[in-house]
Amino acid sequence: MEVKAQVHTIEKLKDYHFLVPDYQREYVWEVDDQVEQFLADIANEFDPGAKDPSSYFIGSIIIVKNGSKYDVIDGQQRLTTTVITMCALRDLLKDQVLDQVQEHYLKTIQSWLSSFDMQSKQVQVRLELQYEESKDFLLQLILGKALPPSSTLSIERMRAAYDRIRQHLQNYLDAGLGVLAEYAYYFLTKIDLVVIESENLSSALKIFETINQRGAGLNAMDLVKNLLFSKAKGNDFARIKDKWKDLTGHLQRAREGDSPLRFLRYFLMARHFDGILREDELYKWIISVEGKKRLRYEEAPYELAVELERGARRYADLVCATELQNDGGDYPAVTRIGFMNKIKSRQHLILLLALDHTSTADAINYLAQQIESFFFYSNTLGIQAKNNERLFVQWAVQLRGLKSEAEIASVVDATLRPYLQDKLGEFRQRFLTLRDNDYHPLYRLRYVLGRMENKLLALCNTPQKGLRYIDGLQIEHILPQTPRDGAIPPALAANRAEYEGHVYRLGNVTLLESVINQAVNKHNDLHGSWFTDKQEEYAKSGLLSTQLLDHTFAIGVNTKVNQLAALPGANFRTARWDGQAIQQRQTALLELALDTWMLNSRRLDA
């Protein structure tokens, strides 16, 4: 393998014309992160007025000859930023009255950015971006023409980078034209980078892989992409490029296009690796003997690209479903997981990614229902998320390639159910002592009470409430948080601490519409008929679980609602409200919870 490596100043890059191929990643440097660091690093080394300024090394680029130009395999982010900086220097200098030396700097920059080629009779620019997201933005910037609107995220980043760099250079100009000219000289002649020229793409990708292995945690996704390209044969190269573009689009939809390692990690643990992989271990495992055997990218790189794209599509679909916070999605149980296990949760995707790529939405949603129940019990018990991940990667192995609900149900009965049943006694004890803030944040508490409300409605064959409706309800403390004048009758509690012990029990809270909640807030004189007055308001609610707090509430004769009130999980009726009534209701909520969050349609204690 023939490799040439030379140290060049920025000015010496005039010997090359660079292309960033269309399969490469678009411009991703953020103005407040990498661009700012780029400017700060150079500013730390640049010393205006220094007689013998020291050089500064900014990294390396890997290139492969492509006709009269060179494809950039690695380093396009810093090379693009370098070109943008040269454009900003040109645009500031060209509007100034320059002396002879400064005029030379400007001409050097202009000829560096572009030149006229006599043979092709065309203008040649120093760097040409061929990926679609660039939309010729950099070309127009180099040529000094009107810039196109920001139609892509890549263009927005390049435009922001140009604006920030120009602002940074303006500070030097404000200090004097001579200072800016010194910076131009320093930038051209004292900033070094290593240009590594390889004989072909395969060799270049191998160099890229070797250089980046130690930083695999930061570059694993790019390394995998280049690994697939290096193994491509025939028309696989173009097909892999198309699949990777689709994959990137899926991750952008999940707002993880710039940080794809969580997807890659979950994908591998769900489908190929048996155990937990850290992000900094991903690429090391991929190129291991076991990784090569399981992923088969050496003999079938396109097939792995297809699997990754399908995985990314499902990942994005499920991320969007988890964050939906609304009704009407394709995966309602996944959306409920977002409420139960927090909207930004992702661990459940390990299990859902394990299912066969041909699994229907119904099958995925069925597994999500079981995971939703798991998270209810897990969160109630206070189990840490890291313990769940350990379990999920074990269970994912048994779910790999499954398609039908029957197959999924069999695995659930062999994994989730026995794990939770071992903790059933602990769950019962824990639930009976729950306080309202144990289901934090508030949307989770509303969700828990709302799901139990819907269970009651289902038992009555009554239409259920939507997630958006439930999330818009308020939390009502039956025994009020702030009794009038702070007066607490001895019959309710001996002191304030005991009273608050009752108030914040889960059994003392219910869901309520805001209008009715305003009315019940007036009934907080604990020496009067406060609970009877509240019951009259509760009966006006559209929530069955709240209506049942009125011991006189009934609908018709021998109806399902009236029959429901006698069930253990709906035993809310009482003529007085105190610590004993709260304990009674919390016990009833325990039974209702076991009826609500089932596994394979069976209670956990079945």
Side-chain angles (χ1 to χ4, degrees):
M1 181 171 65
E2 185 180 353
V3 177
K4 297 178 183 177
Q6 293 179 295
V7 178
H8 285 307
T9 62
I10 299 296
E11 193 269 336
K12 289 296 182 181
L13 295 183
K14 69 179 186 299
D15 298 334
Y16 303 88
H17 286 92
F18 300 105
L19 296 170
V20 175
D22 58 358
Y23 60 80
Q24 285 282 24
R25 195 178 190 188
E26 73 278 8
Y27 188 72
V28 298
W29 274 18
E30 298 286 353
V31 67
D32 293 329
D33 190 355
Q34 296 92 345
V35 174
E36 193 68 45
Q37 190 65 53
F38 176 86
L39 294 172
D41 289 344
I42 297 173
N44 288 338
E45 299 296 325
F46 172 57
D47 183 13
K51 292 183 179 180
D52 188 20
S54 59
S55 297
Y56 177 63
F57 175 67
I58 62 169
S60 62
I61 60 173
I62 304 173
I63 59 175
V64 174
K65 194 167 180 58
N66 181 358
S68 62
K69 299 183 180 182
Y70 292 85
D71 286 343
V72 180
I73 306 306
D74 182 39
Q76 78 106 335
Q77 305 293 330
R78 70 174 59 90
L79 190 55
T80 302
T81 308
T82 297
V83 172
I84 292 173
T85 304
M86 293 287 274
C87 290
L89 278 168
R90 174 204 61 196
D91 293 345
L92 286 174
L93 287 172
K94 71 180 183 180
D95 293 331
Q96 309 303 314
V97 178
L98 308 176
D99 63 25
Q100 187 175 2
V101 172
Q102 294 163 352
E103 190 73 39
H104 175 72
Y105 291 166
L106 175 59
K107 288 180 180 179
T108 300
I109 292 170
Q110 290 172 326
S111 62
W112 187 97
L113 285 168
S114 65
S115 59
F116 185 78
D117 181 65
M118 297 295 289
Q119 284 189 326
S120 66
K121 298 179 181 179
Q122 291 181 337
V123 173
Q124 299 270 24
V125 296
R126 188 65 50 207
L127 177 63
E128 180 182 340
L129 307 180
Q130 295 187 318
Y131 50 82
E132 185 179 349
E133 290 82 358
S134 69
K135 303 286 187 185
D136 290 334
F137 177 89
L138 190 64
L139 173 64
Q140 301 295 90
L141 183 62
I142 291 173
L143 297 178
K145 295 184 178 180
L147 297 177
S150 299
S151 58
T152 70
L153 189 56
S154 183
I155 290 178
E156 289 180 9
R157 289 179 177 132
M158 285 189 282
R159 185 187 297 276
Y162 173 80
D163 291 342
R164 177 66 189 94
I165 292 169
R166 180 163 178 162
Q167 178 190 44
H168 177 78
L169 298 179
Q170 181 68 48
N171 293 333
Y172 291 120
L173 181 57
D174 292 343
L177 177 58
V179 177
L180 180 63
E182 280 192 69
Y183 187 93
Y185 169 79
Y186 183 87
F187 193 83
L188 283 163
T189 64
K190 294 299 181 179
I191 294 180
D192 297 331
L193 75 165
V194 174
V195 178
I196 303 171
E197 183 180 346
S198 181
E199 58 186 343
N200 54 48
L201 177 62
S202 179
S203 299
L205 292 173
K206 184 64 178 176
I207 296 168
F208 176 76
E209 172 188 320
T210 303
I211 290 174
N212 285 278
Q213 268 189 39
R214 290 189 178 183
L218 297 175
N219 300 288
M221 201 68 175
D222 287 331
L223 288 170
V224 170
K225 177 186 70 174
N226 287 298
L227 186 63
L228 295 180
F229 283 133
S230 70
K231 304 300 180 183
K233 299 178 180 64
N235 66 344
D236 276 355
F237 194 93
R239 295 199 298 165
I240 291 172
K241 182 187 74 174
D242 290 340
K243 284 297 174 185
W244 203 269
K245 181 178 179 181
D246 292 340
L247 180 154
T248 302
H250 297 321
L251 295 183
Q252 291 287 1
R253 182 160 52 91
R255 292 176 299 285
E256 296 186 11
D258 297 334
S259 52
L261 293 191
R262 178 161 55 183
F263 157 71
L264 182 60
R265 179 170 177 263
Y266 281 6
F267 171 86
L268 292 175
M269 292 192 300
R271 305 185 67 83
H272 296 286
F273 183 80
D274 300 341
I276 292 178
L277 263 177
R278 297 197 313 268
E279 287 188 356
D280 60 356
E281 298 173 330
L282 294 175
Y283 192 69
K284 182 179 179 181
W285 180 80
I286 289 169
I287 61 175
S288 70
V289 174
E290 181 189 5
K292 292 177 180 178
K293 181 179 179 181
R294 293 203 178 193
L295 297 175
R296 298 183 64 253
Y297 54 81
E298 291 188 318
E299 62 267 30
Y302 176 68
E303 284 72 10
L304 179 56
V306 169
E307 186 185 0
L308 280 164
E309 185 273 329
R310 287 169 173 164
R313 183 192 311 149
R314 180 179 294 176
Y315 182 88
D317 288 344
L318 298 176
V319 165
C320 292
T322 306
E323 297 181 348
L324 182 59
Q325 291 185 280
N326 215 331
D327 307 287
D330 294 330
Y331 304 98
V334 177
T335 302
R336 294 198 298 269
I337 288 174
F339 281 93
M340 182 65 248
N341 199 43
K342 295 190 177 180
I343 294 161
K344 294 298 181 182
S345 62
R346 297 289 182 269
Q347 284 184 330
H348 53 289
L349 304 184
I350 298 173
L351 296 175
L352 296 171
L353 285 171
L355 297 179
D356 190 81
H357 70 87
T358 62
S359 296
T360 63
D362 287 342
I364 294 171
N365 201 62
Y366 181 81
L367 176 57
Q369 289 175 12
Q370 318 313 312
I371 300 172
E372 177 200 355
S373 292
F374 173 88
F375 277 130
F376 168 74
Y377 292 107
S378 175
N379 280 290
T380 302
L381 288 164
I383 296 174
Q384 293 185 341
K386 64 181 180 181
N387 293 328
N388 290 339
E389 181 169 278
R390 177 179 53 81
L391 294 168
F392 286 6
V393 296
Q394 294 173 7
W395 298 341
V397 175
Q398 300 184 53
L399 289 166
R400 287 174 186 166
L402 301 190
K403 303 178 184 179
S404 70
E405 293 182 17
E407 292 173 319
I408 295 168
S410 178
V411 172
V412 168
D413 278 341
T415 55
L416 278 74
R417 176 176 286 278
Y419 173 81
L420 291 174
Q421 281 185 322
D422 283 345
K423 301 179 182 299
L424 181 58
E426 181 185 350
F427 167 76
R428 287 183 179 276
Q429 291 178 355
R430 169 70 175 151
F431 192 94
L432 291 176
T433 61
L434 283 178
R435 296 167 66 85
D436 57 358
N437 61 3
D438 286 324
Y439 290 121
H440 181 78
L442 272 180
Y443 67 74
R444 181 188 283 175
L445 177 59
R446 287 192 292 266
Y447 157 81
V448 168
L449 296 174
R451 280 284 280 142
M452 290 194 280
E453 162 73 16
N454 278 334
K455 181 62 179 180
L456 294 175
L457 294 174
L459 291 171
C460 297
N461 296 327
T462 303
Q464 298 180 34
K465 308 293 186 185
L467 291 169
R468 177 55 61 192
Y469 174 82
I470 291 171
D471 201 41
L473 296 171
Q474 295 185 354
I475 301 296
E476 149 73 354
H477 288 78
I478 303 165
L479 200 62
Q481 294 171 282
T482 53
R484 180 175 293 177
D485 301 326
I488 303 170
L492 286 177
N495 51 52
R496 183 73 189 189
E498 183 183 349
Y499 179 78
E500 291 185 352
H502 296 325
V503 169
Y504 296 107
R505 294 280 301 279
L506 184 66
N508 189 56
V509 296
T510 191
L511 292 174
L512 201 57
E513 298 89 339
S514 60
V515 174
I516 301 177
N517 199 25
Q518 293 174 16
V520 299
N521 283 338
K522 300 175 183 177
H523 305 303
N524 60 1
D525 182 355
L526 300 182
H527 291 90
S529 57
W530 67 275
F531 183 57
T532 301
D533 296 336
K534 277 195 170 188
Q535 285 181 311
E536 292 178 3
E537 299 297 337
Y538 293 155
K540 300 173 185 176
S541 171
L543 299 157
L544 184 55
S545 54
T546 301
Q547 292 170 332
L548 288 171
L549 288 166
D550 176 14
H551 70 285
T552 65
F553 176 75
I555 298 179
V557 178
N558 200 29
T559 61
K560 284 187 175 292
V561 171
N562 295 345
Q563 295 170 10
L564 179 70
L567 296 177
N571 186 16
F572 302 159
R573 292 181 172 181
T574 179
R576 52 177 287 133
W577 197 258
D578 52 19
Q580 183 178 352
I582 293 170
Q583 181 62 37
Q584 175 186 318
R585 184 165 182 268
Q586 195 139 338
T587 302
L589 290 175
L590 168 61
E591 294 301 315
L592 183 55
L594 290 166
D595 285 332
T596 302
W597 287 281
M598 297 188 180
L599 292 169
N600 292 335
S601 302
R602 303 197 316 276
R603 280 172 54 121
L604 188 60
D605 59 356

